Amino acid sequence: MSDSRSDGGDCTEHRVAVTEPEVEALVKGICFKTGPPRTLGVELEWLVHGLRQPQLPVTPDQLKAAYATLRAVSLGSALTVEPGGQLELSSPPAASLMECIGIVSADLDTVRAALAEDGLGLVGIGHDPWHPPRRFLHEPRYDAMETCLDRAGPAGRHMMCASASVQVCVDAGHEEPGPLGHGRRWWLAHQLGAVLVAAFANSPLIGRRPTGWVSTRQLMWMEIGPGRAGGPPLEGDPRSVWARHVLDAPVMCVRRGSGPWEVPDGLTFREWTRSRSPRPPTRADLDYHLTTLFPPVRPRGHLELRMIDAQPGEDGWIVPLAVTAALFDDPEAAETSYRIVKPLAERALNRPAPHNPLWADAARWGLADPELCEAATGCFAAALEALPRLGATTRVTDAVAAYLDRYVARGRCPADDLLDGLRDPKRSRPGRIGGTPTAHGRKDIRT
């Protein structure tokens, strides 16, 4: 939920109303900035728990004190707080994979040291396995968001307050066709995205009990619904398709300078531009509206891949960052991954992600799905070949190779370690992924 920190600007800015054609032109102009892929970024969300007993809830006063300390530290990345008290670290655009890893690793060392003084630590799990959703931030934006999302059920509160992710940001790509063209990268992000969900699934529990899904976080996004958390159809020009999606998406709220924000029911941005009620929408309203849409792939000038669960271990986030960067930014790996995932597209039944059978299978079964496992194995192999060409160090390639051996080659994902630990507490300590790989803790659809 990388934009929960921003309200999209003061609602008194850009007072001139925008028309429907103006909105379409603006969205086309700002959401896909094409050119050679040169920069990379990552946004890391973390659950914050006690160092000694992560299964016990952290009080709001503890979080406030720790975050007051963090505001005084110097970081290269932006540090923000999510509605449930999760921390998010957003890197600046980096010129290379290793530059991105270096900046974020140094910042994480600083953040962890500061939190440790208050007895707190960062936990990499896609959904809090111990505690129910509880809002830490109480502001008009989150009050309105909660009201809006509650209409679809409890999934919105889980997303806001109990989830964490690794979000990889890659450039949109070239204007022309080819493996690094923006049309190909847009398509690849939605098909490869299901493979990334399955390979890095790490949220099988709620209330210490299995949900039946290896990525419960992805399940919550699906349950929020296609208007708020779905992507557009993939047919057609990405700019035109995305602009239509933005216009036809429901407005989360109409902001006010004071008092509670209005939360309309079913009003799309297109309808708002036509009715001009309860007040005419402005450019600032459009900017804000874009931050309230949470598709698995969000174009923000670059492409923001939002489907990866937070990963275990201090450096677990490096593997999905490295694999994704290799498969998107190395031309040979991009072409290989395209060929690998192309057969999977049939399982999507031409339905937008994540509300299609391919993405649902990825979130439920992970790499126990044989086709997803085969695709992940091929994609990891292509990434390993490409990483040295991107300047990756041996430490990074070794980490990817180890992940391939421990999880992908065995049809497993980190969620399986959590399930193993649930059945046999001796295999892993609370709050830490570990233990010896064993049989899946869910139905194995390979048999």
Side-chain angles (χ1 to χ4, degrees):
M1 234 186 94
S2 65
D3 275 314
S4 63
R5 63 185 178 275
S6 169
D7 66 2
D10 188 336
C11 61
T12 62
E13 294 176 349
H14 310 300
R15 295 173 183 272
V16 178
V18 290
T19 65
E20 185 178 334
E22 288 172 338
V23 169
E24 185 172 1
L26 284 167
V27 172
K28 288 181 178 180
I30 64 179
C31 289
F32 288 88
K33 302 288 180 64
T34 54
R38 291 174 176 163
T39 59
L40 178 72
V42 68
E43 301 176 4
L44 304 178
E45 296 173 339
W46 300 87
L47 303 176
V48 179
H49 289 172
L51 281 174
R52 294 186 177 181
Q53 293 181 298
Q55 69 272 28
L56 298 180
V58 179
T59 68
D61 286 342
Q62 285 178 290
L63 290 178
K64 288 177 183 177
Y67 295 166
T69 300
L70 281 176
R71 283 193 289 270
V73 304
S74 177
L75 301 171
S77 305
L79 186 69
T80 51
V81 181
E82 295 292 299
Q86 312 99 306
L87 279 184
E88 179 178 273
L89 202 65
S90 302
S91 75
S96 69
L97 171 63
M98 293 313 304
E99 179 182 313
C100 184
I101 291 174
I103 292 171
V104 177
S105 295
D107 288 341
L108 281 171
D109 288 343
T110 301
V111 170
R112 287 192 174 98
L115 288 175
E117 294 179 2
D118 291 291
L120 302 177
L122 302 177
V123 178
I125 304 177
H127 187 283
D128 193 318
W130 301 293
H131 312 127
R134 180 189 62 179
R135 193 139 63 92
F136 171 71
L137 297 179
H138 295 273
E139 301 171 5
R141 170 184 170 94
Y142 304 123
D143 293 342
M145 181 182 290
E146 187 174 89
T147 298
C148 175
L149 296 179
D150 277 352
R151 291 169 178 162
R157 296 196 183 201
H158 284 268
M159 178 273 291
M160 289 175 63
C161 302
S163 69
S165 67
V166 175
Q167 299 175 15
V168 182
C169 300
V170 297
D171 284 335
H174 291 284
E175 190 66 31
E176 63 269 16
L180 299 185
H182 78 284
R184 172 74 70 84
R185 287 162 77 86
W186 176 246
W187 184 94
L188 179 63
H190 288 85
Q191 306 304 337
L192 180 62
V195 178
L196 298 176
V197 169
F200 296 108
N202 188 35
S203 52
L205 307 175
I206 289 182
R208 311 188 191 200
R209 296 191 177 191
T211 63
W213 297 70
V214 291
S215 181
T216 302
R217 173 182 164 275
Q218 188 59 52
L219 169 65
M220 295 303 169
W221 281 116
M222 291 190 292
E223 290 187 343
I224 288 172
R228 182 70 52 202
L234 294 182
E235 297 83 5
D237 169 62
R239 291 187 178 93
S240 299
V241 168
W242 178 247
R244 287 196 298 271
H245 183 76
V246 169
L247 277 163
D248 292 331
V251 174
M252 177 174 284
C253 55
V254 177
R255 297 171 299 156
R256 296 174 177 172
S258 61
W261 294 359
E262 184 172 346
V263 184
D265 190 359
L267 176 71
T268 68
F269 206 92
R270 189 187 303 277
E271 292 166 343
W272 194 10
T273 63
R274 294 175 177 178
S275 69
R276 302 167 69 86
S277 176
R279 60 169 175 77
T282 66
R283 168 63 188 273
D285 290 317
L286 172 61
D287 293 342
Y288 179 78
H289 177 62
L290 291 170
T291 73
T292 67
L293 303 180
F294 308 117
V297 182
R298 185 163 62 177
R300 303 180 61 198
H302 55 272
L303 301 182
E304 182 183 81
L305 280 66
R306 304 169 50 84
M307 70 288 297
I308 301 170
D309 282 355
Q311 294 297 288
E314 292 189 354
D315 297 328
W317 57 275
I318 292 176
V319 174
L321 171 64
V323 169
T324 305
L327 298 179
F328 275 85
D329 290 348
D330 180 84
E332 184 177 337
E335 185 65 28
T336 299
S337 61
Y338 172 77
R339 292 197 304 267
I340 289 172
V341 302
K342 193 173 182 179
L344 293 175
E346 296 181 4
R347 290 175 58 178
L349 303 180
N350 291 321
R351 299 177 190 171
H355 300 90
N356 64 49
L358 174 63
W359 279 67
D361 287 344
R364 181 184 289 275
W365 306 115
L367 296 186
D369 182 298
E371 287 183 293
L372 286 167
C373 184
E374 182 180 3
T377 302
C379 286
F380 267 70
L384 274 172
E385 290 184 5
L387 282 170
R389 297 193 291 267
L390 295 181
T393 63
T394 302
R395 171 198 171 204
V396 173
T397 57
D398 285 350
V400 173
Y403 196 97
L404 171 61
D405 179 64
R406 177 173 181 176
Y407 293 114
V408 179
R410 304 183 186 203
R412 291 175 59 88
C413 56
D416 291 303
D417 289 348
L418 286 170
L419 292 168
D420 290 347
L422 188 69
R423 291 192 303 271
D424 184 359
K426 294 180 180 180
R427 292 186 179 272
S428 63
R429 292 180 294 168
R432 181 176 179 179
I433 305 293
T436 303
T438 62
H440 291 280
R442 59 193 185 282
K443 178 183 177 183
D444 190 336
I445 62 175
R446 295 172 296 181
T447 58

